Amino acid sequence: MIRDDHVLATDLAAEAGERLLALREKEGFADPSRLRKEGDASAHLFLMEALARSRPDDSVLSEEATREERLDPRRLRAERVWIVDPLDGTREFAEEGRSDWAVHVALWERGVLTAGAVALPAQGRTLSTLRPPALPALRPDARPRIAVSRTRPPEFVQDLARLAGADLVPIGSAGAKISAVLTGEVEAYVHAGGQYEWDSAAPVAVALAAGAHASRIDDSPLDYNQGDPSLPDILVSLPGLAPTLLAGIRDLHR
């Protein structure tokens, strides 16, 4: 039976997440470095084997692929490319009690993200394009909340928060941050300072399907399946807040 791409993305992200939870339970947290390595490797192997069986004619771009695999020119000629992050938020995965890590599975077709899923295993949920989440409404008269990195929030985002009268909310992985926009825990996620396509492809696919705003911080499109997979900045927000944040970013970069 051939599964629909939305179903496949959802199923694979969720199953990889369940396997990661089981690995966490089995190994414990005494050796975080080992747990991180095993998590990355096992989730990557599962997704690569599953996609090879289910979509043998498609290309795959994975964070855990070798440099040679990432630079394979056949990917750039392909019409369908799966962009996956087998374990987004490896640091958080190896910290007991943390739930802000994720599994990303996205499909890029002819220039567009067409399917995607973000599993948040320790939160017991998977967000996907199969049934995009209903966006929360902006909270009237409340200060907006912007998700930022736990360890390295960009200085300009701190300046943006002051300009926009917003509060910063530290969250772990990029997938967890974007998911927080879609579930109402924050109103926006802003980042500048280095990321890659696999960090955002799946959550952006879900965000766009749900009707959220997703772009570079200069409001240009987020382009995927590029020769250089770096994608250094991103803005994902509830649509009603995007104009304010984009205007503030422009003011800060003048």
Side-chain angles (χ1 to χ4, degrees), residues 78-94:
E79 293 189 345
R80 289 168 52 94
V81 179
W82 293 88
I83 303 174
V84 303
D85 191 340
L87 176 49
D88 179 53
T90 313
R91 179 196 301 267
E92 287 74 24
F93 171 72

Side-chain angles (χ1 to χ4, degrees), residues 115-133:
V118 181
L120 300 157
Q123 298 179 28
R125 58 187 173 188
T126 299
L127 307 181
S128 83
T129 54
L130 178 62
R131 284 182 288 275

Side-chain angles (χ1 to χ4, degrees), residues 126-165:
T126 299
L127 307 181
S128 83
T129 54
L130 178 62
R131 284 182 288 275
L135 287 182
L138 276 174
R139 302 175 303 157
D141 304 320
R143 289 170 62 90
R145 298 161 296 182
I146 301 175
V148 294
S149 169
R150 291 174 58 206
T151 56
R152 51 186 187 283
E155 185 176 341
F156 104 89
V157 178
Q158 299 178 53
D159 294 337
L160 176 63
R162 286 191 287 271
L163 190 64

Side-chain angles (χ1 to χ4, degrees), residues 95-106:
E95 291 183 28
E96 188 171 8
R98 295 211 69 92
S99 64
D100 47 350
W101 53 276
V103 178
H104 298 178
V105 179

Side-chain angles (χ1 to χ4, degrees), residues 26-39:
K26 175 187 173 186
E27 297 295 334
F29 301 91
D31 189 344
S33 178
R34 177 182 173 185
L35 183 58
R36 287 193 292 266
K37 289 177 183 177
E38 289 193 12

